[in-house]
Amino acid sequence: GGMIANKVSVLFAAGQTGVAQGLSLFADSFLLHSGSLADAVLREAGYTLRNSGTQWMVVLWLGVNFLVFLMLRFRASLNIFWRVTNSSLWLTGVLFLGTLAYAFHYSDAAQSTQALMLLSGAVLGVGATVWSARRQHRGYAGSVGRLIVATLVVSLVAASLWPPEWGPTFGYRGYTRWTGPWDNPNIFGLLMGPGIVLAVGSTMLNFELLVSSKSDAGRRKGHRRWWKAALVIVCLVSAGLMGRGLLHSYSRGAWCGTIVGLMYLAVQGIKERGAKYSRWFRANLFSLGVATVSIIALIFWHYRATEWYPARRAFSVINRSDFTWRDRIAAWICALQITAEHPFFSAGWNQPERLYEQYYFPPGVPGSAAIGLNDYLVLGATLGIPALLCFGMYIWLCLRSRPRELETKNLVPENSSPMPNSGLWTLDALQATCRAGAIVLLVGFWFDGGLFKLPTAATFWILIELGRRDLSTGSAK
């Protein structure tokens, strides 16, 4: 009876997670196609979120949810909230400063959903860790986290199969840039990148389990090997489908972020395989760095005149005639100027775009949208340097190496029920994969934005929270 109840609760949590992820990922796509069943409901919800008379109610409701999730998160653990090394403390600082700016300049802040998206993404991320931690206390370490990752990969694979003609048309030298179910090819690329990393991480874990079980005997063991082999194939096909979508997005920021995320995943895999490989990697780190830079330079030199359009798109960053990167650099400089003039008390929500258009707009730039493509500079110009520092500390603490005393702690309580066999999907492996997916978006936010857009923001906050180094039922004081 207890086992059935546990399975039912896991399925219920998976259903809640799937609904929340589906709404956050695909709510905007319903609005692109009028006449759909959910069109009227979503349009009414969108009106409520953008209406200055009702938006504050949604923000207040989200704020209460965040505080409740935070209380449950630290009630389920023995960690102390008021400590400098607690990433949740710094996240609370960012949201607190954002809420102050929202309250004192409500008439301007309510004209967009930037503050709303920042808070809602954080609520989704913290809520995901609360579900995962509660299941972990019952002896199912990371079971909800695995379900979240699985549903996210399935959703992104479905998005990669979206017909290109069903969305807005964006072109690059006569080739159509895929947008998927969204209205921007950069958003599509930024979501395909984490999907690829999650699928590759799943492939690595299931393949190692398959190799380690070759020596097992018995019909049941053989059945499990066939199941793991099928999972490896499914994960590889999923990565290939999303890689195809990423390539056709022609999003250079997403390409760069995906490469960095895969490199991080590879390094974590080497570290987990044993001290021998880890010591060799650290001893040859400088040589590997020089070799990597040399290979990249040779590739750029050899293919600088290639006719393959994805390569031409990637190598356009060294083309002085390409105005996209030049416009972005000009916008970055203006954002830094705005931050320098409002370092502590911030310019307020939606103000950097207006200040940029009225006072900082450089001559010769065709549009003002470039200032919104770097979320870090927008965050600094909007909320000030203290909020940017809090956000940076939050990211650093989530990604930093786990303290040595935490590595020796058992993540499952002593009196819990035995953990079911989950293969190599241990909590550490799940966290490393989620961190790699979050890194893809962290890189992409520098070039293409997305922290204030629901599909990418929800994905980022869920992955970064599930991948936190200090996520444990812990005994860490």
Side-chain angles (χ1 to χ4, degrees):
M3 183 67 68
I4 295 177
N6 284 330
K7 290 182 178 180
V8 170
S9 62
V10 170
L11 291 176
F12 180 71
Q16 289 180 315
T17 303
V19 171
Q21 286 184 341
L23 289 176
S24 61
L25 285 174
F26 302 114
D28 292 340
S29 65
F30 288 106
L31 299 178
L32 295 177
H33 308 284
S34 59
S36 60
L37 295 177
D39 180 67
V41 176
L42 292 176
R43 287 188 183 278
E44 187 65 26
Y47 174 77
T48 303
L49 297 179
R50 291 176 173 84
N51 185 7
S52 59
T54 56
Q55 188 184 98
W56 67 271
M57 301 180 188
V58 182
V59 171
L60 179 61
W61 178 75
L62 289 172
V64 172
N65 276 272
F66 176 78
L67 294 177
V68 171
F69 284 147
L70 205 62
M71 181 186 67
L72 292 174
R73 169 73 178 90
F74 282 87
R75 183 182 178 185
S77 67
L78 300 178
N79 294 327
I80 301 175
F81 181 80
W82 300 104
R83 57 190 175 93
V84 179
T85 56
N86 176 25
S87 57
S88 296
L89 176 64
W90 297 97
L91 173 61
T92 305
V94 176
L95 299 181
F96 176 74
L97 293 174
T99 303
L100 285 181
Y102 182 84
F104 284 109
H105 305 280
Y106 179 73
S107 59
D108 294 325
Q111 295 181 13
S112 76
T113 59
Q114 284 187 337
L116 192 63
M117 293 300 102
L118 181 66
L119 183 57
S120 60
V123 170
L124 284 174
V126 176
T129 59
V130 168
W131 284 343
S132 180
R134 288 177 68 86
R135 295 302 305 168
Q136 184 177 329
H137 267 285
R138 298 175 185 178
Y140 291 81
S143 59
V144 174
R146 294 194 299 273
L147 287 171
I148 292 174
V149 171
T151 54
L152 183 59
V153 171
V154 171
S155 301
L156 293 178
V157 169
S160 69
L161 300 174
W162 197 270
E165 63 272 9
W166 285 13
T169 302
F170 291 84
Y172 174 72
R173 298 183 180 272
Y175 281 77
T176 301
R177 297 183 63 184
W178 290 8
T179 60
W182 300 283
D183 61 351
N184 191 305
N186 291 329
I187 296 297
F188 176 67
L190 283 178
L191 288 170
M192 291 296 103
I196 293 172
V197 171
L198 295 177
V200 170
S202 303
T203 302
M204 293 169 56
L205 294 169
N206 286 290
F207 180 76
E208 185 170 350
L209 179 62
L210 178 65
V211 172
S212 64
S213 63
K214 280 186 176 180
S215 59
D216 295 336
R219 181 177 179 181
R220 187 176 180 182
K221 297 292 184 180
H223 175 72
R224 290 180 179 178
R225 288 198 300 272
W226 279 109
W227 173 245
K228 291 300 178 183
L231 285 178
V232 170
I233 296 174
V234 169
C235 291
L236 285 175
V237 172
S238 301
L241 291 174
M242 289 183 286
R244 176 170 167 263
L246 176 66
L247 184 66
H248 286 279
S249 71
Y250 289 95
S251 175
R252 292 170 294 187
W255 292 349
C256 181
T258 304
I259 292 174
V260 175
L262 290 174
M263 291 175 61
Y264 177 85
L265 190 62
V267 170
Q268 293 300 310
I270 293 174
K271 290 174 62 177
E272 291 294 330
R273 295 307 173 267
K276 176 182 177 181
Y277 298 103
S278 181
R279 287 196 300 268
W280 180 89
F281 184 81
R282 288 196 297 267
N284 296 275
L285 183 61
F286 179 77
S287 300
L288 292 173
V290 172
T292 302
V293 172
S294 302
I295 292 173
I296 293 175
L298 289 174
I299 291 175
F300 268 78
W301 177 260
H302 183 73
Y303 290 101
R304 66 188 187 280
T306 182
E307 295 298 324
W308 188 43
Y309 285 102
R312 293 182 64 178
R313 175 69 172 172
F315 299 149
S316 63
V317 296
I318 60 175
N319 184 4
R320 291 188 175 183
S321 300
D322 186 89
F323 291 101
T324 57
W325 65 265
R326 297 176 64 180
D327 295 344
R328 295 186 186 191
I329 292 178
W332 297 349
I333 295 174
C334 294
L336 291 174
Q337 292 175 344
I338 296 173
T339 305
E341 293 188 2
H342 305 82
F344 300 109
F345 298 102
S346 76
W349 292 104
N350 303 321
Q351 294 305 305
E353 293 83 356
R354 295 179 182 178
L355 294 174
Y356 178 71
E357 292 178 355
Q358 295 176 4
Y359 303 106
Y360 299 94
F361 195 73
V365 177
S368 60
I371 193 174
L373 296 179
N374 189 314
D375 285 329
Y376 308 107
L377 297 183
V378 169
L379 186 65
T382 300
L383 302 180
I385 295 177
L388 186 60
L389 289 177
C390 288
F391 185 76
M393 285 294 297
Y394 167 75
I395 297 301
W396 180 72
L397 290 172
C398 287
L399 300 179
R400 70 168 187 160
S401 298
R402 180 178 297 180
R404 182 170 298 179
E405 61 269 16
L406 287 182
E407 293 180 356
T408 60
K409 300 293 182 181
N410 188 8
L411 293 177
V412 182
E414 295 180 359
N415 297 326
S416 62
S417 58
M419 185 178 67
N421 184 16
S422 57
L424 294 183
W425 267 111
T426 61
L427 188 60
D428 286 338
L430 175 67
Q431 288 178 324
T433 305
C434 290
R435 285 196 301 273
I439 287 173
V440 177
L441 292 171
L442 284 172
V443 175
F445 289 164
W446 180 268
F447 299 103
D448 299 319
L451 187 61
F452 305 109
K453 299 173 183 176
L454 186 57
T456 47
T459 304
F460 164 72
W461 287 108
I462 289 174
L463 291 178
I464 194 68
E465 281 289 319
L466 288 178
R468 282 173 48 171
R469 288 281 193 174
D470 59 343
L471 181 63
S472 66
T473 60
S475 317
K477 299 293 192 291

